[in-house]
Amino acid sequence: GQNIDQPTEMTATEGAIVQINCTYQTSGFNGLFWYQQHAGEAPTFLSYNVLDGLEEKGRFSSFLSRSKGYSYLLLKELQMKDSASYLCAVRDPPGNTPLVFGKGTRLSVIA
Amino acid sequence: IAGITQAPTSQILAAGRRMTLRCTQDMRHNAMYWYRQDLGLGLRLIHYSNTAGTTGKGEVPDGYSVSRANTDDFPLTLASAVPSQTSVYFCASSAGTESSPLHFGNGTRLTVT
């Protein structure tokens, strides 16, 4: 099974950089996913990490350390539209098992 | 536009009534899932199906049943609704590989009174 921890809420200023952390305890590991969810909407896929290191996608980057059971999502040049919940999810082996989600981090971007 | 369609968008249901939430995808994804999302609890898996004809139980399956007669459809049935089943229900699908992300429908907001 999985135990996934994320901060409940964060606030950051427009134009700044924010890092959202995710830690997990697992008996196995088959990849970590980040999702964005605006209020009242469905989650949308942001990034996938299965190997250690940083994956960059425009203003968003995601980092993984498997030995530490740790990931973070880095958002640069924050915009008001980035105000949303960010969900960390882990996949157990083997194969294509369902994702287990953390409770999400609600990010508020202020002017 | 390809994707996942859920129906209804919202529903108010009397306790004890039977209800089926519908989910259809047109991406030919092998795997489909039902999650419920509650404030403070996040997304929790109810049932899933890795391929047509097979289903599995998730973290919170009690009071729910599913079927997967074909690739496209994955309905979720509440046999006798209870107030604790008030939630937002999301259907999702994935292509079926380890790196495949989940694609979510727009959700069904269900209130059981």
Side-chain angles (χ1 to χ4, degrees), chain B residues 86-103:
Chain B
T86 293
S87 188
V88 179
Y89 291 86
F90 286 103
C91 180
S93 71
S94 74
T97 66
E98 292 176 358
S99 61
S100 300
L102 270 58
H103 300 269

Side-chain angles (χ1 to χ4, degrees), chain B residues 3 10 23 25 38 61 71-72 77 92 99 108-109 112:
Chain B
S10 65
C23 176
Q25 54 108 355
D38 303 285
T71 298
D72 298 343
T77 297
S99 61
T108 294
R109 183 174 295 275
V112 182

Side-chain angles (χ1 to χ4, degrees), chain B residues 62-77:
Chain B
D62 294 343
Y64 306 95
S65 63
V66 291
S67 61
R68 187 87 184 277
N70 57 61
T71 298
D72 298 343
D73 301 300
F74 192 43
L76 176 74
T77 297

Side-chain angles (χ1 to χ4, degrees), chain A residues 30 33 35 37 40-43 45 48 87 91 95-103, chain B residues 31 33 35 37 40-41 43 45 48 50 90 94 96-102 104-105:
Chain A
N30 227 16
F33 297 76
Y35 282 79
Q37 185 178 24
E41 298 183 8
F45 170 68
Y48 167 71
L87 315 180
R91 175 165 274 152
N96 182 37
T97 57
L99 296 185
V100 178
F101 284 83
K103 294 178 182 177
Chain B
Y33 314 87
Y35 288 85
Q37 188 172 40
L41 297 177
L43 282 162
L45 182 69
Y48 66 97
N50 283 332
F90 286 103
S94 74
T97 66
E98 292 176 358
S99 61
S100 300
L102 270 58
F104 285 86

Side-chain angles (χ1 to χ4, degrees), chain A residues 2 4-6 22-24 29-35 45 47-49 64 71 86-92 98-104, chain B residues 35 43 102 104:
Chain A
Q2 306 278 3
I4 302 171
D5 290 313
Q6 308 179 233
C22 171
T23 59
Y24 61 91
F29 179 80
N30 227 16
L32 187 143
F33 297 76
W34 283 97
Y35 282 79
F45 170 68
S47 67
Y48 167 71
N49 295 71
L64 176 67
S71 174
Y86 292 86
L87 315 180
C88 172
V90 178
R91 175 165 274 152
D92 270 332
L99 296 185
V100 178
F101 284 83
K103 294 178 182 177
Chain B
Y35 288 85
L43 282 162
L102 270 58
F104 285 86

